[in-house]
Amino acid sequence: MISLEHVSKRYGKVKSDEAPALDDINLNINPRELVVIVGSSGSGKSTLLKMITREELPDKGKIIVGGIDYDTLARKHIPHLRRRIGVVFQDFKLLPDRTVYENVAFALEIAGHTNAETKNIVPRVLDLVGLLDKMNKLPAQLSGGEKQRVAIARSVARQPRILIADEPTGNLDNRNTWEIVDLVKKINDLGTTVLFTTHNLEIVHRLNARTVRIEDGRLVADVPRGKVVK
Ligand code: ADP
Ligand code: MG
């Protein structure tokens, strides 16, 4: 479903002597897999995810996602690709002047859903993330964990095949962190391929999933589910 072969990426000048952000990454992810990407700050986790969302281009290597070979991907098809990939970030990126309901509905409208579809889908995804009772609240009236749940509802509303969560718990306290970790697991159980980055080993253990470790842009370990990650 996701395949990276010999992918390297350097920001700025290709020929500078700065270390590359990604250095010869090989990674294959199967449909419905949950993969944790662990590594310290600056190790290249976000850059790796940006290879998959096509936010950044690799200098070298081959990327194929859901059968789409990025070498032959026309610019006009990028929006279509992005609709198949939901993304959530550490800082939620909610619209502050819209309610919970409207934040999710807005994403569906942009994606071309009709009003009737939107009215049907929004309550269902808010129920999934446990926020039906907060649908008329503004983001400022929510806890951090609730905000992240809105962001997750918004990104899964379009039923993406892949959910990318880039340090989704980075701004959350412990209780909210476990809430989000459990929700992401649930979304994976429902059939979505999930990539989850973190630098927190406790989260790695709780997720109990295949874990890929990145150090200085290199993939240094790929630990299958069930084995202890150190
Ligand atoms: P992580 O997500 O693991 O913290 P990143 O992928 O954000 O790591 O960064 C990897 C390396 O690339 C770091 O050295 C970082 O400073 C550099 N980097 C990331 N984004 C940019 C950018 N837009 N321009 C220049 N350098 C960048
Ligand atoms: Mg990052």
Side-chain angles (χ1 to χ4, degrees), residues 29 55 87 119 124 166 195 226 228:
I29 296 173
E55 256 176 274
V87 188
K119 278 194 184 130
R124 281 199 286 129
D166 195 2
L195 276 76
V228 179

Side-chain angles (χ1 to χ4, degrees), residues 45-46 166-167 197:
K45 302 181 298 297
S46 296
D166 195 2
E167 306 224 27
T197 70

